[in-house]
Amino acid sequence: KQRLAHELQTAAAMAQEPSFHRQRHQQQQQQHSQQQSTSAGPVVAPHLVGAELAAALCGHGQGETVRFSQPLLIAGRQFTWAAILREFKTASQAILLQFHPGGVLYICKFENVVQENALMCTLHKMNDRWRRLQVSTSGELVQAVTYGIIPLGPKAGLVEVVPESCTLRELSRESAFGERHSRVFRALKGDPRRLDRLAATTVAYLTAGYALGVRDGHDDNLMLRSDGAFFRIDFGFAFGRTPEIDAPPTFVPNAVVQALGEHRWMDVLCECGRALQALSGEGAPFNGKPPAWDLLRSVPELRPILHEAFGHVRTLSFEAFGRQVVRADEWSFARPANNTLREVGHTLAATFASFASGCFFGPAKEPFQNARGKQQAYFQY
């Protein structure tokens, strides 16, 4: 009995020993993290990050670096300085920033991006609904491309960069005038899997755009990812609000339709109705609810503008969506006029910049590639 008692005591001690060492290791880690946070010094208060970032960037331009007076805490990470990689000729004066330490890329917009964040949260909800109900086309689940949008107050907001993507305008610059209709097909190298992804994301693009009333469509805010995903950026005009010159409310660039081909395009047309039905709740379209209202009212981030969202969806119908989708690939004067005006603006800006610097821009880069031949994101926000 004594020997058995001794063996039990020894076993208990051996079982407790790893626990003791584990607790000691955890305590050491906590002390180390506390020392690191103390040595890092104070950071800018979260509600002041946007104003501090805007003030630090004021008066600085492309190619310059900016050091912050105190570290900025953004998405759980501390940054002490940033490099301005690119300036975009947009109303929000957006710029491409690389934050350090870490080299994290964000597009900074000097305006309140709370509404854009709310719409991005809505896209996440749409993806969840489509995934749960297995809405698919061409063997791919219907999913919208999503990315982070970080509101930093009324003076600034950040938009996460989508890797390995480029705008349709960037693709146009790589194509001869008579070959622009095939630019998407060539960029995806005719890969069937990429074209299937293009079809599924086109369904998401059309359905979400109709439900949210997203406007201001042009080649600067329509993007293509290297895996075939087609998506929209810039949600400044939504729920029916439009700029002075605008494209039709529901449209698909001809280059996308050409890349899809007749078979995949017909699949897209057929699946759009089911995608909208999935957002409209059980029994739609005969449940007495406006299209997509069942989903929109479930998004907490939309509550401040829910009355505006309801006013928009009351004007929608499944019949109207069907008519618009069928004609989404038709040519319209408004869209080329919008693209032409923006192209003139880009050309003038580039010309003035060339004269100012005393040199002209070099040849454009290959889509999805940088000078070293590696995969690289292209942006036009």
Side-chain angles (χ1 to χ4, degrees):
K1 291 182 178 179
Q2 290 178 351
R3 186 170 63 253
L4 179 61
H6 177 70
E7 290 176 354
L8 290 174
Q9 289 177 357
T10 303
M14 291 176 64
Q16 291 176 358
E17 186 176 2
S19 176
F20 169 76
H21 286 298
R22 186 165 55 251
Q23 291 175 358
R24 185 176 180 183
H25 180 65
Q26 290 175 349
Q27 291 174 354
Q28 290 175 346
Q29 283 187 325
Q30 290 176 355
Q31 291 175 357
H32 181 65
S33 62
Q34 289 175 356
Q35 290 174 355
Q36 280 188 329
S37 62
T38 303
S39 62
V43 298
V44 175
H47 66 284
L48 298 177
V49 170
E52 175 68 20
L53 179 61
L57 294 171
C58 183
H60 294 277
Q62 184 171 317
E64 296 186 86
T65 58
V66 177
R67 293 197 172 272
F68 309 127
S69 59
Q70 290 182 323
L72 302 184
L73 184 63
I74 298 172
R77 301 185 62 172
Q78 290 188 24
F79 301 108
T80 57
W81 63 284
I84 304 174
L85 301 184
R86 185 173 179 181
E87 295 177 293
F88 301 106
K89 309 302 179 183
T90 62
S92 64
Q93 299 178 326
I95 57 176
L96 177 62
L97 295 176
Q98 187 175 50
F99 287 88
H100 296 274
V104 181
L105 293 173
Y106 282 109
I107 293 171
C108 178
K109 301 180 72 175
F110 296 98
E111 62 184 14
N112 197 332
V113 296
V114 169
Q115 175 181 294
E116 292 194 55
N117 177 60
L119 296 187
M120 187 56 60
C121 293
T122 306
L123 289 183
H124 280 284
K125 286 276 190 179
M126 290 180 176
N127 284 343
D128 291 341
R129 181 76 64 91
W130 290 327
R131 190 182 303 111
R132 178 166 58 85
L133 297 178
Q134 292 292 296
V135 180
S136 64
T137 187
S138 300
E140 290 272 345
L141 277 174
V142 170
Q143 296 281 278
V145 175
T146 57
Y147 44 88
I149 296 180
I150 306 173
L152 298 175
K155 293 186 177 296
L158 298 177
V159 179
E160 180 186 5
V161 164
V162 180
E164 300 183 21
S165 60
C166 65
T167 66
L168 293 193
R169 185 176 301 281
E170 292 284 352
L171 290 181
S172 294
R173 290 170 181 165
E174 298 298 318
S175 305
F177 181 77
E179 299 177 352
R180 290 188 176 185
H181 64 282
S182 62
R183 64 190 188 273
V184 172
F185 185 84
R186 285 187 287 105
L188 300 181
K189 297 178 171 48
D191 186 341
R193 295 185 62 181
R194 295 179 181 182
L195 295 175
D196 290 342
R197 177 68 55 84
L198 178 66
T201 51
T202 299
V203 173
Y205 156 80
L206 285 168
T207 308
Y210 182 74
L212 298 174
V214 179
R215 304 298 296 268
D216 193 28
H218 50 75
D219 284 357
D220 280 331
N221 57 29
L222 297 176
M223 301 196 72
L224 182 71
R225 200 167 60 191
S226 60
D227 65 349
F230 173 61
F231 62 103
R232 167 69 190 252
I233 59 174
D234 193 353
F235 297 93
F237 291 93
F239 299 126
R241 289 184 287 106
T242 63
E244 293 183 4
I245 299 178
D246 195 18
T250 303
F251 80 93
V252 176
N254 181 258
V256 172
V257 178
Q258 291 289 331
L260 290 172
E262 183 177 357
H263 178 70
R264 286 189 180 87
W265 176 238
M266 291 303 298
D267 287 345
V268 167
L269 298 181
C270 293
E271 200 60 30
C272 279
R274 185 164 177 252
L276 183 60
Q277 186 178 20
L279 305 180
S280 306
E282 188 176 355
F286 307 110
N287 57 8
K289 301 175 185 177
W293 178 243
D294 182 73
L295 182 127
L296 297 187
R297 67 178 183 175
S298 70
V299 183
E301 292 80 3
L302 278 180
R303 286 173 185 167
I305 54 175
L306 202 57
H307 64 286
E308 186 179 353
F310 183 69
H312 166 68
V313 297
R314 288 182 62 185
T315 67
L316 306 182
S317 72
F318 282 87
E319 294 79 7
F321 183 48
R323 290 193 298 269
Q324 291 184 25
V325 166
V326 168
R327 304 182 61 181
D329 63 329
E330 292 185 2
W331 187 90
S332 169
F333 172 77
R335 183 173 180 273
N338 194 4
N339 283 333
T340 300
L341 289 175
R342 295 184 66 84
E343 187 65 47
V344 169
H346 287 302
T347 303
L348 289 175
T351 303
F352 291 147
S354 301
F355 281 121
S357 61
C359 62
F360 288 92
F361 293 116
K365 300 177 182 177
E366 184 73 16
F368 309 125
Q369 299 284 328
N370 64 9
R372 298 177 184 175
K374 297 181 179 179
Q375 294 291 339
Q376 173 71 16
Y378 271 74
F379 321 99
Q380 187 82 14
Y381 206 86

